[in-house]
Amino acid sequence: ISVLLLAGANQHAQPVGNMKPPLTIWTSPALGGKTRRCIQTCLQEGEQVRLVLPSELQAQMARAIPMAEGMPPSTADRAVQSFHAFALEVALRAGEVHLVPAHLRRRLLQEAVREAAPSHPLLERAFQREGMFTLLSAWVRELAREAISPQILESLASHSGEPEKIGALAKVWRNYRQLLARRGWHEEEDAYLLAARALRQPTTGTHLPRRVLLDGFARFSAAEMDFLRALAEAGCEVVITLCWDAQRPALFESTSATLHWLGEHFEVRQVPLSAPPAESVSPAIAHIARHLFGTPPPITTMGQGVPAVEIWEAPHLLGEMEMVAREILHLHRNGMAWGEIAVLCRDITSVLPIAEAMFGQFGIPTQSFETQVLAEHPLVRALGDLLQINADDYPRDGILRWLKSG
């Protein structure tokens, strides 16, 4: 499926004609001053600038910095936003947008699978397994992010090594999209395409900030890219920060690909930034930022303190979590308290279920500071299934599925 996502993304992100909108990219390695410059720009220009970050949690943390410098909370809320919140704000100016709630997405997906199951028996067997609808929910969000329509997925099925499976998933995707449309709902990731459409409508009076700064991103989906193009075409100065160093291609392979892709769709002006790490940064972290995957490696003399940092490599996320769990257990057995150990993740939403399951196997107590979707809790799901069975007049298959859920 990941190959299909990339193929679909390329079809949706091709520039129109030879006219490329302008784009500024600030580049530097980690701790090179990109975020500090973004915050300084916000403080200097106020509401004329919008600082955009990948998630709402990052936006909340970033707002605290200008507020500590005296910016009013109401101004900080407008000046610093998540990318999705900013796109939704622009889309709403052109009309109402109804984002599908998580619990309703699950119900609609179940209905889409039921409609497709008669012609694809494979679906009925696969989605009786516990957790499959959670994975399917994440999959449809990724399809929406990459702006892949059911038609594109159907056309790519014949080029896949497993055309039957891809064809069955394409049928589910088509059914789900039709169910959303009939009820007037949109996928959460549709906000970017709706915002781009609003900006391109000449009748839409959309007030935009003079400059939009996007900080903390490593890549952009096809839908996000379309929104960025629409912003630049509407006269907004778009600035993206990228963590990148030409001397370390192995470390910055992902952002190098992003830099190349942006160059295909924008007239890019690249501005290298260089600033010493802040005084609060520990020497160990600064050492990693300067030398990780560097060629040649830094020369250290005997007796010189080498930063206490280890780099582990695992073939997949499950292997990573097992390595982490064993190390936590080792530290605890050697006298370290559970509360003195922390696990930090770039994307806690995708890692948390696997981490909690793995730590549970090793008897490691956990405490997470990430909010969880109520609809994904097993008790709530069981109760929702029971109510659905009652609404469907107690079908045999539904009762058996509910009994098997435990």
Side-chain angles (χ1 to χ4, degrees), residues 21-34:
L23 175 72
T24 302
I25 302 179
W26 296 344
T27 60
S28 80
L31 308 179
K34 302 181 293 298

Side-chain angles (χ1 to χ4, degrees), residues 113-382:
V113 169
R114 281 198 297 269
E115 290 181 2
S119 57
H120 297 281
L122 156 71
L123 289 174
E124 189 172 1
R125 295 194 303 270
F127 290 106
Q128 286 176 352
R129 299 178 182 178
E130 179 65 25
M132 287 302 295
F133 277 101
T134 301
L135 295 176
L136 185 62
S137 179
W139 178 72
V140 300
R141 291 186 63 184
E142 187 65 19
L143 287 178
R145 274 177 55 83
E146 298 299 341
I148 297 178
S149 66
Q151 294 87 348
I152 290 176
L153 197 55
E154 289 166 353
S155 66
L156 292 173
S158 59
H159 303 288
S160 168
E162 298 179 299
E164 182 183 357
K165 292 182 180 179
I166 304 304
L169 290 170
K171 180 63 175 177
V172 172
W173 183 225
R174 177 179 291 279
N175 291 347
Y176 175 69
R177 275 299 194 185
Q178 290 173 349
L179 290 169
L180 278 180
R182 286 204 294 265
R183 290 162 172 78
W185 292 96
H186 293 95
E187 257 301 325
E188 185 176 347
E189 306 300 333
D190 290 342
Y192 302 104
L193 294 178
L194 293 171
R197 189 183 306 163
L199 290 173
R200 293 182 176 122
Q201 290 176 357
T203 57
T204 304
T206 305
H207 173 71
L208 293 172
R210 186 178 63 83
R211 183 188 297 182
V212 175
L213 308 173
L214 295 100
D215 185 47
F217 293 84
R219 64 178 294 270
F220 296 94
S221 69
E224 292 168 340
M225 184 73 78
D226 193 37
F227 179 39
L228 290 177
R229 282 183 57 84
L231 282 171
E233 291 164 355
C236 183
E237 181 185 352
V238 180
V239 179
I240 297 174
T241 70
L242 280 181
C243 193
W244 183 77
D245 183 356
Q247 304 303 317
R248 290 182 282 174
L251 180 61
F252 297 105
E253 182 178 0
S254 175
T255 47
S256 293
T258 300
L259 192 62
H260 176 73
W261 198 25
L262 289 170
E264 289 183 346
H265 304 287
F266 294 89
E267 195 66 42
V268 171
R269 182 174 71 93
Q270 188 172 334
V271 181
L273 301 183
S274 178
E279 295 180 358
S280 58
V281 176
S282 72
I285 298 299
H287 180 92
I288 293 177
R290 287 193 302 268
H291 301 300
L292 184 62
F293 286 98
T295 304
I299 300 174
T300 58
T301 59
M302 293 300 294
Q304 186 179 24
V306 178
V309 174
E310 298 179 17
I311 299 176
W312 299 348
E313 184 177 2
H316 43 67
L317 180 57
L318 196 62
E320 288 183 15
M321 286 300 103
E322 184 175 352
M323 293 170 66
V324 171
R326 292 185 184 279
E327 178 64 16
I328 291 174
L329 207 59
H330 172 74
L331 293 172
H332 181 67
R333 287 171 177 170
N334 284 275
M336 187 174 292
W338 297 121
E340 296 177 323
I341 305 170
V343 178
L344 307 181
C345 308
R346 174 182 286 273
D347 182 10
I348 188 65
T349 305
S350 61
V351 174
L352 186 59
I354 297 175
E356 289 182 335
M358 183 61 69
F359 291 170
Q361 292 181 18
F362 282 84
I364 299 172
T366 59
Q367 180 183 11
S368 169
F369 298 96
E370 180 76 4
T371 57
Q372 293 180 292
V373 179
L374 182 62
E376 297 299 330
H377 192 282
L379 182 60
V380 176
R381 286 192 352 222

Side-chain angles (χ1 to χ4, degrees), residues 78-96:
R78 291 190 296 272
V80 183
Q81 287 184 301
S82 69
F83 199 13
H84 186 267
F86 179 44
L88 187 59
E89 176 187 305
V90 174
L92 284 169
R93 292 173 185 173
E96 293 186 359

Side-chain angles (χ1 to χ4, degrees), residues 99-122:
L99 301 182
V100 60
H103 70 278
L104 184 56
R105 179 191 293 117
R106 185 182 180 87
R107 294 280 170 244
L108 294 179
L109 282 173
Q110 289 174 338
E111 188 173 341
V113 169
R114 281 198 297 269
E115 290 181 2
S119 57
H120 297 281
L122 156 71

